[in-house]
Amino acid sequence: MAVTITDADAYIAEWVVDNEDWSDADEAKKTRLLNVASRTLATKYPAYTIPDAAVYETAAAFATAFNDTMVPAQRGVQAFSLSGVASFTFREGARELTEMIPASALDLIAAENPDMPRPAKRRVGWTVL
């Protein structure tokens, strides 16, 4: 199946707890979020079949990470204030898209690919001692 905004709206409304940022997004932003979520999962896990639900879970997580308040944090801003109106301080968070893939998406990918090793966020690499 192909991901669609209509299906994403229905899935996210029913299955995603923090769905306000997705619901508040316009159609163009939802399309971008779905495209980036799909590409990120396909690039990170090329040997796996990626179910639509995993794309929807990831798109909702990206919507929260890139809402209007959090965009400065994604760009490296640590704190800012609006003279007496509001003050925001951000903790260090994930900056790479692959670090923002939710565990629920990984569970859905694992369920879709029972004969494959469970997908993980971590990357295997070499260490020299």
Side-chain angles (χ1 to χ4, degrees), residues 2-115:
V3 297
T4 66
I5 291 175
T6 304
D7 291 343
D9 285 340
Y11 179 91
I12 291 169
E14 185 174 348
W15 294 101
V16 178
V17 174
D18 188 5
N19 61 22
E20 291 81 17
D21 292 311
W22 172 265
S23 299
D24 292 345
D26 61 18
E27 191 166 319
K29 184 169 184 175
K30 288 179 179 181
T31 299
R32 286 191 307 274
L33 290 165
L34 287 172
N35 289 342
V36 172
S38 181
R39 182 188 65 211
T40 301
L41 291 170
T43 302
K44 179 73 176 170
Y45 307 108
Y48 293 82
T49 300
I50 308 296
D52 293 350
V55 175
Y56 302 150
E57 292 274 349
T58 304
F62 287 176
T64 300
F66 291 99
N67 69 22
D68 292 339
T69 303
M70 297 303 294
V71 166
Q74 293 298 330
R75 295 183 178 154
V77 174
Q78 294 179 351
F80 72 92
S81 65
L82 304 170
S83 50
V85 177
S87 177
F88 298 90
T89 303
F90 302 108
R91 62 181 167 83
E92 185 66 31
R95 300 209 24 145
E96 293 295 323
L97 292 174
T98 56
E99 296 172 6
M100 295 180 215
I101 297 171
S104 56
L106 298 178
D107 292 341
L108 291 165
I109 294 169
E112 184 75 17
N113 300 273
D115 297 334

